[in-house]
């Protein structure tokens, strides 16, 4: 285990660390030190700082894996974390310094799940609970989708406008998993980001929630990245 890289898992919008619950045991079984960060989803700066503080408690090199908005978080955080060894994007945003999430969503046909997002009076965005499964995780079981909908963590609207102050994918090895059946981030946008980064890429016929619905493939992909470091 002394030679194993730490694996730091970062959830995205409307998620939490438990979205990685099927992936964590698979990675831990290979001897990796696995940590799932709990982000406040209040701003890109806040969320990147939460990741930085979490990783500061670890020894050795760390591979950062981000899902959805978590990709923007690891993009911002990577350069601020000594020992960052690589970045893995799981159906995730990978913005440049001139881009925010809203701009990247324009890189493909509008994702249908966006129609089911609504703001509350405090400036946070939610997915309608009765539309959560069809929007976020149509390949999950009804029970799994119910739990994800009921435990969704809203994201501050400003997170879709924030731009990174640094671009980690320009400085570290990069991997990208495309979800071809994604209804939250257009698959064409995902392919655009993966191609631009020259990332090692795999495509799964999965929903946006591939980390929850295809854990064996996702764990294997992250493990392969860790082994390449």
């Amino acid at each position: 285990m002394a030679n194993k890289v730490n694996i730091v898992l970062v959830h995205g919008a409307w998620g939490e660390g438990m979205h990685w619950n099927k992936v964590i045991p698979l990675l831990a079984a290979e001897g990796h030190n696995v940590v799932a960060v709990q982000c406040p989803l209040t701003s890109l700066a806040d969320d990147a700082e939460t990741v930085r503080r979490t990783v500061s408690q670890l020894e050795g090199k760390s591979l950062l894996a981000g899902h959805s908005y978590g990709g923007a978080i690891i993009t911002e955080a990577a350069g601020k974390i000594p020992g960052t060894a690589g970045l893995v994007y799981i159906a995730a945003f990978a913005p440049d310094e001139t881009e925010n999430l809203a701009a990247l969503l324009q890189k493909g046909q509008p994702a249908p799940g966006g129609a089911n997002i609504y703001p509350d009076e405090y400036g946070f965005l939610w997915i309608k609970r009765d539309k959560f499964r069809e929007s976020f995780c149509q390949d999950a079981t009804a029970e799994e989708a119910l739990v994800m909908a009921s435990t969704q963590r809203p994201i501050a609207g400003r997170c879709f406008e924030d731009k990174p102050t640094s671009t980690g994918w320009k400085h570290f090895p990069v991997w990208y998993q495309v979800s071809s059946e994604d209804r939250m981030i257009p698959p064409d946008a995902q392919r655009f980001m993966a191609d631009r980064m020259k990332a090692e890429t795999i495509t799964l016929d999965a929903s946006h929630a591939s980390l929850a619905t295809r854990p064996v493939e996702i764990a294997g992909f992250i493990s392969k990245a860790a082994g390449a470091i």
Side-chain angles (χ1 to χ4, degrees), residues 64-87:
L64 311 182
H67 171 245
S68 187
Y69 165 63
I73 298 172
I74 65 174
T75 296
E76 170 73 1
K80 300 175 173 64
I81 298 173
T84 296
L87 305 175

Side-chain angles (χ1 to χ4, degrees), residues 4 25 32 38 42 47 56 66 83 103-104 119 123 134 153 164 173-174 193 195 209 222:
K4 293 287 187 179
H32 294 290
Q38 298 284 20
T42 48
D47 296 324
S56 71
L104 289 171
E134 69 179 66
R153 180 175 295 186
V174 180
M193 290 181 280
D195 290 346
I222 295 173

Side-chain angles (χ1 to χ4, degrees), residues 4-5 7 30 32 63 175 220-229:
K4 293 287 187 179
V5 65
I7 296 178
E30 296 187 2
H32 294 290
L63 177 70
W175 292 260
F221 188 54
I222 295 173
S223 182
K224 179 180 179 182
I229 293 171

Side-chain angles (χ1 to χ4, degrees), residues 20-39:
W20 298 97
N21 69 324
K22 295 180 183 178
V23 172
I24 292 169
L26 297 173
L27 293 173
E30 296 187 2
H32 294 290
N33 181 34
V34 186
V35 176
V37 182
Q38 298 284 20
C39 295

Side-chain angles (χ1 to χ4, degrees), residues 194-217:
D195 290 346
R196 178 173 65 177
M197 295 189 293
K198 297 180 173 58
E200 182 170 338
T201 304
I202 64 168
T203 299
L204 299 177
D205 57 344
S207 69
H208 187 58
S210 54
L211 75 171
T213 63
R214 301 292 286 274
V216 173
E217 293 95 329

Side-chain angles (χ1 to χ4, degrees), residues 105-106 108-117 135 182-187 190:
L105 286 169
Q106 305 305 311
Q109 292 294 320
N116 297 319
I117 297 171
S135 303
D182 201 312
R183 297 177 181 174
M184 297 301 297
I185 301 178
Q190 295 180 40

